[in-house]
Amino acid sequence: YEVLSQSECAARFPAIDIGQGSRAIYQAESGFLRATKCVLAQVKLARFHRAAIQEDCPVFHLQETDAGVLVSTASRTESFDAIIVTAGPWIGKLLAPLGLPLRTALRQVIYTGIARNAADFQPDKLPVWIEEPEEYYGFPADGEVEGIKFASHDAGIDFDPDHPERPVMETRLQQALEHIKKRFPDVTGELVSAQSCLYTIMPDERFILDFAPGSRRTVICSGCSGHGFKFTILLGHMAAGMAVSGTSDPHAAPWQLKRF
């Protein structure tokens, strides 16, 4: 990586003002991928390898027996040799008897318009960025959605994933728009679009990748704390190995439940 002063950063990346006395740590190999496209690609690969994708099929109950694990949905109950539970924001409810030390929080994703010098916001001129200690982060403009995307890794509220709506948090929204205008003087500072997502957060912001207590059939993979998506291929590979072998992956030791 390179360490850049305010003036050096402004010369190379003119869209962003890191602030007087601040420094930027730049890593040229960084980048970003569109989450929806990644999910669709992974589903395509899974089907190629003969996986059956059951959509709109919530799981309501899991029960482990001597012969396997029973998975119950609204329409049927099926038995499997082993399962991997990746229920995301719902894992705390689905595995409530385990009392997992996690919480589910609502986070705001925001797009604001570009007022001037649009070329400076393109991926070849603006890298992915994250600001510490405020924990705002964002992406260049890639044409998929108008404006530039940014969010806060920290700002949000605890939230029930079964709530029918994902409300826009107006106070958080205004704070974020004011902050982004300070960091990026050439944006409009006006809201183009906003959506909310859910984080499943562990106290140490590390993952869970472990067997359920006393089990060698039920693998839990969750608690990704807002930074797990880019590890899905790795975590899937490790979790599948555990489900097939019935043994823990030694590389997953830091993510075992016994740390709590």
Side-chain angles (χ1 to χ4, degrees):
Y1 60 86
E2 298 176 67
V3 179
L4 306 176
S5 66
Q6 181 187 19
S7 60
E8 291 170 331
C9 186
R12 193 178 302 188
F13 310 114
I16 188 168
D17 180 3
I18 64 173
Q20 187 175 3
S22 296
R23 293 185 298 171
I25 298 174
Y26 173 61
Q27 186 178 36
E29 292 83 1
S30 64
F32 68 98
L33 296 168
R34 282 282 173 182
T36 298
K37 292 182 178 180
C38 292
V39 170
L40 293 175
Q42 290 174 333
V43 168
K44 182 178 179 180
L45 286 168
R47 284 183 168 143
F48 177 79
H49 291 284
R50 297 184 294 176
I53 309 295
Q54 304 292 332
E55 298 184 271
D56 298 318
C57 185
V59 173
F60 295 108
H61 185 66
L62 304 171
Q63 181 181 353
E64 191 163 328
T65 69
D66 292 339
V69 185
L70 300 177
V71 178
S72 299
T73 67
S75 60
R76 62 189 184 275
T77 295
E78 294 186 76
S79 179
F80 297 89
D81 295 330
I83 63 170
I84 302 168
V85 185
T86 57
W90 287 270
I91 200 162
K93 289 190 168 186
L94 186 60
L95 302 180
L98 299 185
L100 298 175
L102 53 79
R103 65 187 185 92
T104 301
L106 191 71
R107 295 287 190 268
Q108 204 87 67
V109 175
I110 302 164
Y111 282 84
T112 188
I114 300 170
R116 299 173 296 277
N117 301 315
D120 292 341
F121 292 86
Q122 298 304 303
D124 62 340
K125 293 294 293 291
L126 179 64
V128 175
W129 58 274
I130 184 166
E131 181 177 357
E132 295 294 347
E134 289 82 359
E135 295 202 328
Y136 281 104
Y137 67 94
F139 301 80
D142 67 348
E144 292 281 336
V145 181
E146 180 186 352
I148 61 167
K149 173 183 173 180
F150 67 102
S152 171
H153 176 70
D154 183 59
I157 57 173
D158 287 357
F159 197 77
D160 183 350
D162 284 325
H163 194 282
E165 297 180 355
R166 304 279 188 267
V168 173
M169 297 173 285
E170 292 294 340
T171 301
R172 304 286 191 187
L173 182 65
Q174 292 306 315
Q175 291 173 347
L177 288 171
E178 291 172 8
H179 188 85
I180 200 72
K181 181 66 176 174
K182 179 174 66 175
R183 282 289 161 258
F184 294 86
D186 288 338
V187 301
T188 63
E190 297 176 355
L191 181 66
V192 173
S193 62
Q195 64 186 83
S196 298
C197 61
L198 295 177
Y199 276 23
T200 307
I201 305 171
M202 299 299 292
D204 57 4
E205 295 200 4
R206 292 188 174 191
F207 310 147
I208 301 172
L209 181 55
D210 199 0
F211 288 99
S215 171
R216 279 297 177 263
R217 294 182 181 273
T218 301
V219 180
I220 303 171
C221 183
S222 187
C224 290
S225 304
H227 65 110
F229 185 84
K230 55 188 172 288
F231 296 103
T232 52
I233 294 174
L234 173 65
L235 291 171
H237 177 74
M238 297 170 72
M242 291 170 61
V244 171
S245 69
T247 59
S248 298
D249 188 310
H251 296 99
W255 307 329
Q256 292 179 345
L257 290 169
K258 65 182 182 181
R259 72 186 192 269
F260 299 107

